[in-house]
Each structure stands twice: as structure tokens, then as C-alpha cells.
Amino acid sequence: MGARTVIKNARIVNEGAIVQGDLAMRDGRIERIGGSIAGDVEIDAAGAWLMPGMIDDQVHFREPGFEHKANIETESAAALAGGVTSYMEMPNCIPQTIDAGALEDKHRRAAAKSAANYAFYFGATNDNLEAIKAVDPLKACGVKVFMGASTGNMLVDDEETLEGIFASSPLVIATHCEDTPTILANEARAQAEYGDAIPIEMHPRIRSEEACYKSSSLAVELARRYGSRLHVLHLTTARELELFETGPIEGKRITAEVCVHHLFFDETDYATRGADIKCNPAIKTPDDRRALRAAVLEDRIDIVATDHAPHTREEKGLRYVDAPSGMPLVQHALLSLLEYTPVETVVHKTAHAPALRFGVRERGFLREGYWADLVLIDPGRTTAVDDERLYYKCGWSPFSGVTFRSRVTHTFLNGNLVFSDGEVRDTSRAMAVEFDR
């Protein structure tokens, strides 16, 4: 039996409550929670929040095929620095993760170099329905369907294929919902008015509310028709919220996600942040942001994630029509949420709810016997976002210049201290996320 590590004097945030006490870990798992516990190794939390690490259900780590932007090693290290202990990575890489061989290749890569626990989506195309039906439900976290074109050529717009996916997917269907014909028409109008000098402020008009609603309402209609398990990713508009019900995630087959940047920024920030905050779907109005924040609190939106999607500084410096969409986010996601969201809600939306939605085994909660994926956050110490202290390969953050009111001080992965004193200490402790299915 290994040594017992005890986190002392913590404010333990878990399952809707905050309790003062200690937490003991041994052999990678949580051994005991609460009261005063003696340990072989003791870490004084000094009243900081102790919570389960974030399970980020939407990241793009760019490997294979786009390693000039990012890779599994660099971005998973950044995740640990931000208290993200498990991630679910997207299939729009090169080659795309649309067959069993590509999925297995990603697992091999992550086993060799990932610093955080990992899982991968299986991608849908117009012609791989049979591969989707045959996917091993223990090997993939979900099936990703681009119902609007985004990064990569994975648009699924064939009606028969879409119906086949919704009728027969063995996994949760996670959708990117934007209507491509609507976007192309908006883009053509903007091009006619501005030529190639379209201003960045037009992005939420091109990737419009109408484009989002038309696609997300179709996804919900298909899910209701076929009884599918549907998870709609990165909502951006107040209008879309009417498609989803309030209430505990445990009782839902159709769930919704919002991302940290859509909760933090709004369209007034394009004037200062420019293409750094260009993403798909677009950051929209202050009213939309207010509605999204309210929907998180009322359990209409079930999960908060990042859609971490790095590009190089040079790529982001291009004119609007050429600058790619997406931004790096995992290193400061939790801190950004804590600026305006109760800590108990943050824990539920970033750890408990993803574990429940995807059937994650023995993670996402502080429970005796569960894996010890933990983060300590001190609400009394600030974090100034400085490009010199980023772990991203791209070397920049959309939060650059922001000072958050809290700080990630320690991250534990499978019971091991992997981040403290501002440094990632160990990148060899990660495991594949397992599922109860």
C-alpha cells in the first residue's frame, strides 16, 4: 500500500455543498473525505477550494495533422495548469477520426504523451454510417456531427445519413449546429458590401442567430423523433434556449452545452480583441451572453466546456476572411467561470455533469474510492494572464491582459501532484477515461 497524501484545511466543494475538512488519497484514489486526517504527505490548503478536476467535453488538440498549432503534449499540460484533469478531443484532424484505425491511433498517441486523462470522439461524415454503428462504445466518448461546416471538411448534410445517425448511434451524439446555406448567404451579402475587407464585427451577423437556430432546432427535432441521446455543443443565442428543458441532467436525453468564451465575451469585445475571439459559432450580443449565464444557473444549459482550439499568432493576424476560427482556453477556463458563477455551480457544470452525461467511470466527483482528480483554487489570490506563462504551443491567450480574482494552486491527477507553484511537475500519469456503458 502506498503513502497517504492528505490535503488539509480545505473548503471541499462537491455535490452542491461546501464543507471544511481534509481529504486523503492513496494509490491514486480518494481514500477518505472529511474531518481531520493524518497523512504521510500533507498539503495545507489554507482554506482554498478543493474540487474535482474539470472534465472538458470539447477540445481540439490538433494532433495529428496540425502540430504547428498545438499537440497533445503541450495542450494537455496547459489543461493541468488550469485544473482540467480529463478531456474529450474532437475528430477534425488529419486524418479525420472517422474509422477504428484512426481512433486507435489517437489512443496510442495519448498513451505516449498526454499529461491529462483522455478520451476521443468518433467523427461522422456523409458516408461512414456503418462505421458509426460499429464503433466500440468503450473506445469513444461520443459521435461528433458537424451539422454546419467548421474547421475541416466534415459537414454532414445528407438527410438520409443524418436520420441514420440519430436512429442508430450507439453513443451520445454531440452536434455542432450552424446552417451552412444560411452562413454562405450572409457571407455573400457581406462580401458584396465590403469586398475582402469584411470587418470582424460582421462575424456574428454572418454566423447568425438564424443559422444557429435553424440547425439546432433540426438536431432537437431529429433526437425527439428517434429518441436519440443528443448533446448540443456551444450554444450562443438566447433564442436557442427555448429548445431545451430545465431540470437535473440525470433525467434528460437531450442536453446542452455552453463554452467559457461565450459566457465571458460579447460582440463589443471584437473592437479590442479582434480575430483573437473569432470562433464558430460566433460570440454574439450582450443580451445573448446574459441569457446564456442565466440558463447555466437554471439548469437549462447542462455543461460548460471550452472548445479549446488553438491557432498560431500569425494565422490569427490575418484579415477577417482568412483568419481561422478558434482560440486556446483550457489554462484559464475555470478561473474565468469563477468571475461570475457560484463555485458550487462551476463544479457541477464542469465536473459532475460531464461525468453523468457521458457515463464517465469513477471521475467527476469527490467520492471515496473514486480516482483522485482534484484541483485547489485559492479565491484570495489573483491570476494575471501573461503570455510568458502559458503552456499552449501557440503562445497566446484571448484572456491576455485580464486579471482573474482566483488562482489554481495545485492539480492532482490520479492521486499524483502534477501542478503546483505555477509549474507542471509531471506529465506521465495520465490514463484513458473509462465509461460505464
Side-chain angles (χ1 to χ4, degrees):
M1 185 174 290
R4 171 191 275 180
T5 298
V6 176
I7 302 173
K8 306 282 293 182
N9 306 312
R11 281 188 283 171
I12 300 169
V13 188
N14 188 54
E15 302 190 59
I18 303 176
V19 178
Q20 188 82 27
D22 301 348
L23 181 146
M25 298 171 275
R26 195 195 299 268
D27 297 330
R29 295 182 179 267
I30 298 170
E31 183 183 49
R32 182 178 158 193
I33 303 172
S36 180
I37 310 170
D40 302 299
V41 177
E42 297 185 349
I43 297 169
D44 187 1
W49 290 319
L50 176 63
M51 61 185 74
M54 181 173 179
I55 300 173
D56 192 345
D57 79 353
Q58 186 183 184
V59 304
H60 302 260
F61 283 177
R62 303 303 191 198
E63 182 179 349
F66 300 99
E67 286 92 342
H68 69 286
K69 304 173 189 279
N71 59 55
I72 289 171
E73 183 176 10
T74 58
E75 307 315 287
S76 60
L80 294 183
V84 178
T85 51
S86 298
Y87 62 85
M88 299 179 186
E89 209 265 347
M90 287 296 172
N92 51 330
C93 47
I94 301 176
Q96 297 164 344
T97 317
I98 56 175
D99 57 49
L103 181 62
E104 187 58 42
D105 177 64
K106 277 201 172 176
H107 275 275
R108 284 194 298 267
R109 290 169 180 267
K113 65 179 74 172
S114 183
N117 300 323
Y118 52 88
F120 299 102
Y121 284 90
F122 195 85
T125 70
N126 276 330
D127 54 11
N128 77 333
L129 178 57
E130 293 308 311
I132 291 170
K133 292 178 182 178
V135 68
D136 183 347
L138 300 181
K139 277 288 188 179
C141 53
V143 170
K144 174 63 181 290
V145 182
F146 287 94
M147 293 179 66
S150 189
T151 304
N153 184 27
M154 295 185 69
L155 174 63
V156 181
D157 59 358
D158 180 80
E159 183 177 341
E160 185 176 344
T161 300
L162 271 177
E163 292 192 359
I165 293 170
F166 277 80
S168 58
S169 173
L171 298 168
V172 172
I173 301 165
T175 55
H176 177 130
C177 288
E178 291 181 286
D179 181 66
T180 297
T182 301
I183 292 169
L184 293 176
N186 292 339
E187 195 172 59
R189 283 191 289 271
Q191 196 99 31
E193 182 173 356
Y194 297 102
D196 288 336
I198 298 173
I200 184 66
E201 288 81 4
M202 286 299 296
H203 191 53
R205 309 291 178 266
I206 293 170
R207 297 266 175 169
S208 65
E209 175 193 83
E210 178 190 7
C212 293
Y213 186 84
K214 188 172 183 179
S215 183
S216 55
S217 60
L218 173 60
V220 170
E221 189 276 323
L222 285 169
R224 288 175 177 160
R225 187 192 312 171
Y226 291 104
S228 317
R229 290 174 295 159
L230 171 66
H231 185 52
V232 180
L233 302 170
H234 43 45
L235 292 183
T236 60
T237 72
R239 185 182 178 193
E240 289 171 285
L241 296 174
E242 70 186 43
L243 299 169
F244 303 93
E245 298 178 355
T246 60
I249 192 171
E250 291 91 334
K252 298 179 181 180
R253 291 188 69 81
I254 299 173
T255 53
E257 176 211 273
V258 68
C259 290
V260 293
H261 47 297
H262 295 121
L263 294 171
F264 192 86
F265 298 109
D266 64 51
E267 66 181 4
T268 64
D269 293 302
Y270 288 117
T272 54
R273 300 283 173 177
D276 282 4
I277 60 169
K278 182 185 179 187
C279 58
N280 299 336
I283 291 165
K284 295 187 174 67
T285 70
D287 285 343
D288 287 316
R289 182 179 68 172
R290 279 190 289 271
L292 293 169
R293 288 184 179 183
V296 169
L297 296 178
E298 70 177 1
D299 288 334
R300 188 178 299 275
I301 288 177
D302 304 286
I303 291 173
V304 180
T306 68
D307 198 12
H308 174 91
H311 298 284
T312 67
R313 169 53 66 205
E314 291 73 25
E315 290 167 333
K316 277 295 192 176
L318 299 172
R319 60 185 180 171
Y320 167 74
V321 294
D322 297 318
S325 291
M327 63 191 89
L329 290 154
V330 290
Q331 194 167 334
H332 300 100
L334 284 173
L335 300 186
S336 74
L337 290 174
L338 289 167
E339 291 294 295
Y340 52 83
T341 312
V343 65
E344 301 96 322
T345 303
V346 171
V347 168
H348 181 70
K349 301 298 180 178
T350 64
H352 302 341
L356 293 168
R357 168 78 282 197
F358 291 91
V360 173
R361 179 179 295 169
E362 297 175 341
R363 302 186 192 276
F365 294 85
L366 302 185
R367 292 175 178 172
E368 293 175 3
Y370 272 46
W371 289 104
D373 295 340
L374 316 171
V375 57
L376 271 172
I377 296 181
D378 189 339
R381 298 174 67 187
T382 61
T383 300
V385 182
D386 177 358
D387 288 356
E388 297 300 314
R389 298 194 63 79
L390 297 174
Y391 281 90
Y392 308 136
K393 186 172 185 179
C394 67
W396 65 275
S397 167
F399 295 123
S400 292
V402 173
T403 297
F404 294 115
R405 292 178 294 184
S406 54
R407 181 181 299 184
V408 175
T409 63
H410 300 74
T411 304
F412 298 83
L413 187 79
N414 305 315
N416 301 285
L417 180 61
V418 292
F419 175 80
S420 65
D421 299 324
E423 300 292 336
V424 174
R425 295 177 169 269
D426 192 339
T427 58
S428 63
R429 304 289 189 167
M431 302 170 62
V433 173
E434 296 182 322
F435 302 97
D436 286 319
R437 291 172 175 165

